[in-house]
Amino acid sequence: MHEPQDLLSEGKPDDDLILRVEDLAVHFPLGGGLFGRERRLLRAVDGVDLSLRRGECLGLVGESGSGKSTVALSILGLLKPTRGHIVVDGRQVATNSQSADRKALARTVQIVFQDPYASLNPRQTVRRTLEDPLRVHGVTAKSEIEDRVAAMLKHVGLRPEQADRYPHEFSGGQRQRIGIARALILNPKIVICDEPVSALDVSIRAQIINLLLELKDTLGLSYIMISHDLGVVEHMSDRVAVMYLGRIVENGDWREIFERPAHPYTQALIAAIPDPLRHAPLATTGGDLPNPLNPPNGCAFSPRCRYAVDMCRHEPRPSLETRPDGHAVRCWRSDEISGRAVLAAT
C-alpha cells in the first residue's frame, strides 16, 4: 500500500534504533482569562531523551503524574510537543499532526491500554473491533480481512469462532487479549503497553505478560512498557528509564537498575516491590509527588530524599550524566548513594 511521503519527514537513518526521542517537552499553559489570573505553565514533560532498539523492551516507570503517559501520547502523535524531536523507524514524526499523519504513524506504533473493560466498545463484536482498523487503512478484500482476524485471534490465544461475540461475554484477561489483538492487527513495529496488567487479577497477570513476551519474539516487536510496578518491568524489560516530575532521573540496563540503582527515587521504587525473597529495602521515601506547577528548587526529588543536602536543595537541577557503561543518572550524590545501595544489598 502506498504511503504518502509527506506524512513523516526523513530523519537520520540508524539500522538499530526503531525509536529516538530527543529533548521532548510537553508544556500546558494554565490560568489567565477574563479575571486576570496569572498564567502558569505545567511542564508535564521537560526535556526527555529516550531510545528504543529493534526487538527490545524499554521499561518506562514512575509514579502517577511523572509524565509517562504524556511521553506515550507524544510518540503516538496524539499530543503536539512543545519542543523536541521524535524519530520513528528512521523518519521524524511531523509536529503538525493531521489525520493522515496519524494514520501513517498508526501502521508503525500502536498501544495496549490499561483497562480492558473501558477500552473496548461494548456495542461492537470482536470481529468488528478488529476489522475496522484494517478497513480504515485500506484493506478491503473480505477474504484477507477474515484471514487476518482469524490469525490474530489465534496469536493471542483465542478461537476464531469467538469473533462474533461481544466484550461482555469475555473475562478480563480475554478482553485484554482482544485489546492486544487490536493493537497488532495492523502489524506495527512498536507497541506501547500502558499498564497492561494493572487492572487484571493477579492470577491472570502472568498469562498476559507471558503472552506479550511470546508475541514480541514471534512477531519481532519492540515494546515500551509503561508501569509503576517494577515487578512487571523487571520481568519484561531489557532497559529501564525512571521518570520523576517530567524528567528521566535514571536510565540503563535492567540488571544495572535493579542491582545497582544510583538514584534514591529508583531505590525507593525497588524497595516497594512485594517480593519476600528480595533483600531488605534499600531506601524509603515519604510524601507525594510535588506540584508540577510549583516544582521545588534544586533537585525535584530533594524534599523526599533521605540523602538530600543543601546543594541538592539550592543548586540548579543536576543534568543526566551517562557513565562509561551506559548507565545514566540525574543526581549530585549518585556515586556515594549507589555505593551505599550495593553495600545494603550484599
Side-chain angles (χ1 to χ4, degrees):
M1 181 172 155
H2 177 67
E3 189 169 292
Q5 292 302 306
D6 59 342
L7 300 184
L8 300 172
S9 59
E10 294 295 334
K12 183 179 179 181
D14 190 312
D15 291 338
D16 187 44
L17 291 183
I18 188 72
L19 171 70
R20 187 171 75 250
V21 177
E22 297 179 345
D23 193 31
L24 177 67
V26 182
H27 299 166
F28 299 103
L30 302 175
L34 294 176
F35 300 100
R37 289 184 300 172
E38 182 182 355
R39 193 172 179 86
R40 297 186 293 174
L41 201 62
L42 174 62
R43 301 176 185 271
V45 173
D46 197 22
V48 163
D49 295 321
L50 288 175
S51 64
L52 179 68
R53 300 184 182 95
R54 298 179 189 276
E56 180 182 53
C57 179
L58 172 68
L60 187 59
V61 303
E63 295 167 285
S64 296
S66 61
K68 308 184 303 296
S69 294
T70 303
V71 170
L73 292 174
S74 300
I75 294 171
L76 288 162
L78 300 177
L79 273 180
K80 182 179 178 180
T82 304
R83 71 168 189 270
H85 302 280
I86 301 172
V87 180
V88 175
D89 199 20
R91 293 170 177 261
Q92 183 167 300
V93 177
T95 56
N96 57 337
S97 296
Q98 304 296 321
S99 59
D101 301 326
R102 290 194 294 272
K103 281 180 63 176
L105 191 59
R107 291 193 286 272
T108 302
V109 187
Q110 279 289 324
I111 185 169
V112 176
F113 294 100
Q114 175 180 1
D115 189 348
Y117 295 92
S119 61
L120 298 176
N121 187 336
R123 297 185 179 184
Q124 285 189 348
T125 63
V126 172
R127 183 182 306 281
R128 176 73 182 275
T129 297
L130 299 183
E131 286 180 351
D132 279 356
L134 293 173
R135 291 195 174 98
V136 167
H137 288 267
V139 180
T140 56
K142 183 177 179 180
S143 59
E144 182 180 356
I145 290 176
E146 290 178 349
D147 290 346
R148 289 178 66 167
V149 168
M152 188 52 62
L153 287 174
K154 290 179 181 178
H155 271 308
V156 299
L158 297 173
R159 302 188 308 275
E161 55 265 30
Q162 293 176 297
D164 294 312
R165 297 182 183 179
Y166 289 87
H168 73 269
E169 300 180 72
F170 295 90
S171 67
Q174 289 175 319
R175 292 187 197 194
Q176 193 61 299
R177 291 173 186 268
I178 297 167
I180 293 169
R182 178 180 57 188
L184 299 182
I185 196 69
L186 293 176
N187 297 322
K189 298 180 181 179
I190 301 171
V191 177
I192 299 174
C193 302
D194 190 359
E195 303 274 9
V197 299
S198 63
L200 302 177
D201 292 340
V202 174
S203 60
I204 304 299
R205 292 182 184 182
Q207 297 177 22
I208 299 300
I209 290 171
N210 289 335
L211 172 64
L212 288 169
L213 289 172
E214 179 183 337
L215 291 169
K216 174 177 171 289
D217 293 338
T218 302
L219 303 178
L221 301 170
S222 303
Y223 285 159
I224 297 178
M225 174 60 64
I226 296 176
S227 182
H228 66 274
D229 184 345
L230 263 73
V232 172
V233 171
E234 182 180 19
H235 186 71
M236 288 195 64
S237 300
D238 301 295
R239 288 188 301 117
V240 178
V242 182
M243 284 196 73
Y244 187 79
L245 209 64
R247 294 188 174 190
I248 302 295
V249 297
E250 190 162 5
N251 190 351
D253 176 81
W254 76 269
R255 191 178 299 277
E256 282 291 317
I257 295 292
F258 282 91
E259 294 184 358
R260 286 174 287 277
H263 196 283
Y265 179 59
T266 309
Q267 293 179 16
L269 291 177
I270 292 173
I273 299 175
D275 184 353
L277 299 179
R278 187 173 295 279
H279 294 289
L282 304 181
T284 58
T285 188
D288 298 320
L289 199 71
N291 184 352
L293 286 171
N294 186 28
N297 295 325
C299 172
F301 189 63
S302 61
R304 306 171 68 188
C305 181
R306 63 186 300 187
Y307 302 122
V309 295
D310 285 345
M311 176 178 65
C312 304
R313 300 183 184 96
H314 302 298
E315 291 291 329
R317 289 187 179 187
S319 58
L320 190 68
E321 299 291 340
T322 303
R323 299 172 177 178
D325 62 358
H327 190 156
V329 62
R330 188 189 301 274
C331 179
W332 291 115
R333 306 183 66 195
S334 62
D335 289 340
E336 57 182 303
I337 289 172
S338 59
R340 291 179 188 179
V342 171
L343 291 174
T346 57

